Amino acid sequence: RITQRIAYRAKLLSFRGDPAHADDAVDFEDDGLLIVEDGRVVARGAYGSLAAQLTPATEVRDLRGKMIVPGFIDTHLHYPQTDMIASPAPGLLPWLESYTFPTERRFAELAHAEETANFFLDQLLSCGTTTALVYCTVHKQSADALFAASEARNLRMIAGKVLMDRNCPDYLRDTAQSGYDDSAELIARWHGRGRQLYALTPRFAPTSTPEQLEACGALAREHADVFIQTHVAENVDEVKWVAELFPGHRSYLDVYDRRGLLRRRAIYGHCIHFDENDRLRMAEAGAVASHCPTSNLFLGSGLFDMAKADASSMPVALGTDVGGGTSFSMLQTMNEAHKVARMTGHHLTATRMFWLATAGAAQALDLGATIGTLAPRTEADFVVLDPEATPLMARRTARAESLEEWLFAFALLGDDRAVYETYAAGSCVHRRDENSEGQ
Ligand code: GUN
Ligand code: ZN
């Protein structure tokens, strides 16, 4: 617990709203000051206007030349898949069969889950990600391991035990009843404990019976503020399979909708093969599409259409989807998101992508008053980015003629090397040059 007041002098980037909709959405200070105390932001603004508030006891860390941004928010990934990232397979369903399920089997063992959870959190923090929506495995101890590791570092993580009671190996199968009971137990143990939050996690419709989805919907009704996460409309073979398994539904999304799983705080991975009705229904329910470009390109799932999402006001955030995704870095995820937008005839600015990865995600997750903005009283989760991380980045950022060009260089050229330091609740939890956590 940090009670000392510390001020950080650097460029500051945050947002008042979506840069796609508001001209004054960007809040940028070229010479800024972020004042932090007791894990929260006290003030942010121009150095010149805040310097007078600094008492002699306040330590000022001089990070001039670097840029502080809110901690990145990754809205979709799987911690048990860390060990099988970059596994070759011809598409989603064969990849699940040949790599994912055998890898997830080992999480029955608590010690394995604990070791992997800690490695996974190191990876997130080295990439500047301070909040993530995390899939565990079917084993409830896999969720205990992740939450305990997150709690030990005082991170704000959202996670859940996977629900799957059919179309998967026996060794990864729960039942509608045991999945309900285990999820209820984990909610009681972890949801709202410190910074931990729970997400009901039916893997996807093909691996749950209608009874299991209904039990999940019942839990969602009993716990209005827990999160819900699943996959939808990722791959054409998967969409066909769902149509066979759930006849009489308007669409794949409708399978979840009819069980009460579409609402605020529900995050749907991929949402590629959607129609206009699906997008409008997401928007109406306040559910969020997690766009996972590195995964969608790697698995050949398809091109998410950001312009259509915007046209129907469907909330969107970004996800890495590790291990289907090929990088833990939200900067690399922006890089690929930009290219996917190009391929669908849309130009996604870096300014918007930084919003999508910070304040936009926080707002979409109903956590906008807690994280993602650097606003006073919010939790002090932030990242110090280094424009001179590599000789090429130094050369390109030195020539940037606008904020957009400067941010675009980070998004297109940056990765974990661009993350100089990461802070969670005011504590340094990663420092690049020490290659270790903490001070
Ligand atoms: N659909 C069901 N399970 C998974 C998974 O683990 N990864 C991805 N990308 N899609 C899925
Ligand atoms: Zn996924």
Side-chain angles (χ1 to χ4, degrees):
R1 193 173 143 103
I2 308 278
T3 50
Q4 194 203 344
R5 183 170 281 217
I6 302 183
Y8 300 86
R9 185 175 184 180
K11 296 176 194 292
L12 293 182
L13 175 73
S14 57
F15 298 93
R16 298 185 193 95
D18 184 345
H21 303 311
D23 289 339
D24 66 343
V26 182
D27 211 343
F28 183 75
E29 298 292 350
D30 195 49
D31 182 11
L33 196 68
L34 179 72
I35 307 177
V36 172
E37 185 174 358
D38 204 14
R40 290 180 185 268
V41 175
V42 174
R44 61 146 339 264
Y47 178 80
S49 65
L50 288 176
Q53 289 186 24
L54 294 173
T55 62
T58 307
E59 180 190 336
V60 181
R61 289 210 45 218
D62 190 347
L63 295 163
R64 270 177 288 178
K66 298 189 172 60
M67 175 174 62
I68 291 178
V69 306
F72 293 129
I73 300 171
D74 182 345
T75 61
H76 182 119
L77 84 170
H78 304 253
Y79 98 84
Q81 296 176 15
T82 301
D83 287 341
M84 51 152 297
I85 190 170
S87 287
L92 173 67
L93 300 177
W95 174 85
L96 284 174
E97 286 282 332
S98 47
Y99 288 102
T100 313
F101 292 153
T103 301
E104 293 191 3
R105 181 178 201 170
R106 289 201 58 198
F107 289 74
E109 196 193 314
L110 181 63
H112 177 70
E114 288 170 341
E115 191 274 329
T116 309
N118 277 301
F119 181 89
F120 167 84
L121 293 178
D122 286 343
Q123 287 293 304
L124 288 183
L125 297 174
S126 72
C127 290
T129 299
T130 50
T131 289
L133 269 90
V134 185
Y135 288 62
C136 304
T137 63
V138 74
H139 315 97
K140 73 177 166 189
Q141 59 271 33
S142 73
D144 284 321
L146 192 274
F147 280 128
S150 169
E151 182 178 54
R153 301 170 194 230
N154 200 18
L155 308 178
R156 189 167 277 294
M157 289 288 154
I158 309 167
K161 168 208 125 63
V162 162
L163 298 164
M164 55 180 168
D165 67 345
R166 66 165 165 175
N167 293 321
C168 61
D170 287 342
Y171 59 75
L172 281 182
R173 207 172 286 206
D174 58 8
T175 66
Q177 187 64 50
S178 75
Y180 177 97
D181 292 343
D182 287 351
S183 302
E185 183 185 324
L186 288 164
I187 290 168
R189 184 145 66 242
W190 291 110
H191 186 64
R193 167 162 150 185
R195 306 185 76 200
Q196 311 315 309
L197 295 166
Y198 196 79
L200 296 166
T201 309
R203 177 171 219 117
F204 67 156
T207 48
S208 286
T209 58
E211 294 69 37
Q212 180 162 68
L213 294 178
E214 265 144 37
C216 187
L219 271 173
R221 278 190 296 282
E222 290 159 33
H223 301 277
D225 67 339
V226 304
F227 291 80
I228 299 167
Q229 58 181 351
T230 188
H231 298 86
V232 69
E234 176 178 5
N235 166 292
V236 289
D237 296 327
E238 170 210 17
V239 174
K240 270 191 223 135
W241 193 19
V242 171
E244 288 161 22
L245 291 169
F246 292 89
H249 289 70
R250 197 198 64 75
S251 69
Y252 185 168
L253 186 69
D254 192 41
V255 172
Y256 299 122
D257 199 3
R258 285 212 214 165
R259 275 93 194 169
L261 297 172
L262 236 62
R263 66 168 191 198
R264 292 282 290 165
R265 293 200 165 188
I267 294 82
Y268 283 81
H270 307 287
C271 305
I272 299 168
H273 307 286
F274 262 8
D275 63 17
E276 192 53 19
N277 278 318
D278 294 324
R279 284 185 282 267
L280 290 170
R281 184 63 197 116
M282 291 281 289
E284 181 182 52
V288 184
S290 179
H291 173 27
C292 305
T294 76
S295 172
N296 296 341
L297 294 174
F298 173 68
L299 290 171
S301 302
L303 302 175
F304 179 83
D305 195 321
M306 185 70 81
K308 284 185 177 162
D310 285 346
S312 43
S313 300
M314 176 170 74
V316 178
L318 298 175
T320 63
D321 194 25
V322 164
T326 53
S327 172
F328 279 91
S329 169
M330 292 302 286
L331 296 172
Q332 278 302 295
T333 302
M334 292 179 199
N335 175 1
E336 304 282 285
H338 175 77
K339 293 170 186 169
V340 168
R342 290 290 344 123
M343 294 304 292
T344 58
H346 186 56
H347 180 82
L348 190 50
T349 65
T351 307
R352 181 114 193 275
M353 294 194 288
F354 270 82
W355 177 79
L356 285 169
T358 58
Q363 183 189 315
L365 299 176
D366 209 15
L367 292 172
T370 309
I371 54 172
T373 61
L374 306 180
R377 291 176 297 284
T378 63
E379 297 172 345
D381 290 354
F382 60 94
V383 188
V384 182
L385 294 178
D386 179 5
E388 301 185 328
T390 66
L392 183 61
M393 280 189 70
R395 194 173 169 100
R396 183 63 189 89
T397 53
R399 287 162 175 75
E401 291 182 354
S402 63
L403 179 62
E404 171 62 18
E405 277 189 27
W406 156 271
L407 295 177
F408 203 74
F410 277 98
L412 274 284
L413 303 174
D415 52 31
D416 54 326
R417 293 169 296 178
V419 176
Y420 181 68
E421 289 175 330
T422 304
Y423 289 78
S427 294
C428 185
V429 286
H430 169 75
R431 180 165 292 143
R432 182 189 68 195
D433 296 341
E434 284 173 4
N435 196 23
S436 69
E437 70 183 74
Q439 295 177 301

